[in-house]
Amino acid sequence: MDRPLTLLGLETSCDETAAAVVRGRPGAPGEILSNIILSQVEEHAAFGGVVPEIAARAHVEHLDGLIARAMAEAGLSFSQLDAVAATAGPGLIGGVMVGLMEGKAIALAAGKPFIAVNHLEGHALSARLVAPVPFPYLLLLVSGGHCQLLSVAGIGRYRRYGTTIDDAVGEAFDKTAKLLGLGYPGGPALEAAARTGNPTRFALPRPMLGRPDCHFSFSGLKTAVSRAADSHRPLDDKTCADLAASFQAAAGDVLADRLGQAMRRFVGEHGGPASLVVAGGVAANAALRARLGDAAASQGFTLSVPPPRLCTDNGAMIAWAGLERFALGLTDSLSVKPRARWPLDPTAPPASYAGVKA
Ligand code: KG4
Ligand code: ZN
């Protein structure tokens, strides 16, 4: 493909309404012509978490305006796009439908090809939008809904090494922040509180440490924080910061240990030297980035993490994933359906452990 491609990307699978225009060609970093993100934090804050119906209505209300801004900032009309991409899942189905329908409508009206993007593939390829990261690479995908280790051999070629058997790591950050009274959204608030805390004050568990597989567990860690917090209530600022720092250190140890297993498996399958990509909202956490960077370097892996604005949900990663697929001739018909569940590796066996939900 000698000519750069220009795509509009829409993202509405959770609580961010987002539209972006990206230009580029696979194999080289792309150019973000616009990347408009509207967080619905205030709409959901009173409930302490995302309310699906409120999210879907907010997407309906804001998406048109965001698309108009994204196109205006890029200085383009729909006719100048090569294709339109939208998240088709996985996620909250009401929200996914909003972005998917709108993306299809624009593609139809402008006579452009349409690409239905897997939100997880958006995260998985986001590092390639900003840096040359060749396939294959190891991916640690850490977000509010997912915590997975995968090998990425190419577009659509994922093998899942491990996943969480209970909570996703972002979910654990959110729940822990809530029980510490740090507010919503929890991840950034907990990271801020942890900055002044003592990470060794509370001896919290490190679930799954040393297991020979690549799976994760975080619910026991969150419960341990809950118990420790209850025995110190009312919480003073120092104790709250120490609990946050102790939680973050334990979560970092679990991620680094599971990553260690995955790096060994990846080198066994693909050889080295190898690249590690950490993507998803939790990759915005500077302390965890540093912890995972050390773990990667100790096994000879080069770490790539997208900048924080591309780690949390955004339209640029959807436009980019659409661009990579479009360049391979992978387009979708306008009858493609929204999907609440859409694993990157449908062949992966379930991660079931006795006594825990899989
Ligand atoms: O990728 P994302 O925006 O949405 C999903 O696809 O889930 O990730 C959101 C998650 C939330 O759980 C949020 O608390 C977490 O990412 N997160 C963080 C940080 N920033 C966002 N977790 C820890 N530290 C952060 N700085
Ligand atoms: Zn996401």
Side-chain angles (χ1 to χ4, degrees):
M1 179 91 38
D2 38 359
R3 179 178 69 82
L5 299 167
T6 307
L7 273 85
L8 169 68
L10 308 182
E11 161 56 37
T12 57
S13 68
C14 192
D15 60 342
E16 260 94 29
T17 316
V21 179
V22 163
R23 176 172 288 162
R25 50 191 114 208
E31 189 186 348
I32 299 174
L33 302 183
S34 61
N35 189 20
I36 316 283
I37 304 165
L38 183 85
S39 170
Q40 301 174 5
V41 164
E42 280 167 22
E43 276 98 329
H44 301 286
F47 305 94
V50 179
V51 183
E53 181 61 23
I54 293 176
R57 284 166 190 247
H59 290 310
V60 170
E61 208 171 302
H62 299 299
L63 188 56
D64 280 350
L66 288 180
I67 294 170
R69 277 177 61 196
M71 296 303 296
E73 216 171 272
L76 297 174
S77 62
F78 291 141
S79 65
Q80 291 169 290
L81 296 170
D82 288 292
V84 178
T87 297
L92 302 173
I93 199 70
V96 171
M97 283 166 66
V98 174
L100 183 62
M101 295 305 289
E102 180 118 10
K104 287 180 186 178
I106 294 170
L108 181 67
K112 303 293 176 184
F114 178 73
I115 300 105
V117 172
N118 182 321
H119 177 85
L120 303 175
E121 183 158 66
H123 281 301
L125 302 177
S126 57
R128 287 166 56 85
L129 169 55
V130 285
V133 185
F135 300 123
Y137 55 84
L138 179 63
L139 170 68
L140 173 62
L141 179 50
V142 277
S143 72
H146 298 273
C147 186
Q148 300 186 1
L149 279 156
L150 303 114
S151 73
V152 184
I155 305 300
R157 296 176 57 204
Y158 302 93
R159 178 176 289 189
R160 195 187 77 189
Y161 286 1
T163 187
T164 182
I165 60 167
D166 41 55
D167 292 349
V169 61
E171 190 180 358
F173 267 81
D174 292 335
K175 288 179 176 171
T176 303
K178 193 171 179 179
L179 70 90
L180 293 178
L182 293 170
Y184 168 85
L190 194 140
E191 181 182 16
R195 242 172 249 139
T196 56
N198 172 4
T200 60
R201 173 161 164 207
F202 293 95
L204 298 173
R206 267 84 173 143
M208 315 292 271
L209 219 68
R211 296 235 194 187
D213 59 39
C214 301
H215 296 313
F216 302 87
S217 167
F218 290 100
S219 72
L221 173 55
K222 173 208 64 198
T223 306
V225 177
S226 174
R227 286 215 189 91
D230 286 346
S231 62
H232 288 78
R233 293 204 190 273
L235 288 180
D236 57 58
D237 288 352
K238 173 85 181 88
T239 304
C240 183
D242 291 347
L243 277 166
S246 301
F247 166 84
Q248 189 168 268
D253 285 351
V254 171
L255 290 172
D257 179 77
R258 312 292 58 221
L259 175 62
Q261 292 292 347
M263 288 191 287
R264 276 185 279 283
R265 176 166 166 187
F266 185 91
V267 170
E269 289 176 7
H270 298 277
S275 289
L276 167 70
V277 169
V278 183
V282 182
N285 183 301
L288 290 181
R289 286 158 94 115
R291 179 82 178 82
L292 296 170
D294 291 346
S298 75
Q299 285 176 237
F301 275 62
T302 307
L303 176 67
S304 285
V305 190
R309 197 169 159 79
L310 294 179
C311 286
T312 47
D313 289 348
N314 64 87
M317 71 179 190
I318 303 304
W320 179 256
L323 189 152
E324 294 231 36
R325 295 187 74 81
F326 182 60
L328 295 174
L330 300 170
T331 59
D332 294 278
S333 97
L334 294 183
S335 59
V336 64
K337 300 214 170 24
R339 299 175 67 170
R341 208 181 155 273
W342 187 359
L344 281 178
D345 177 6
T347 66
S352 44
Y353 274 74
V356 279
K357 60 177 178 165

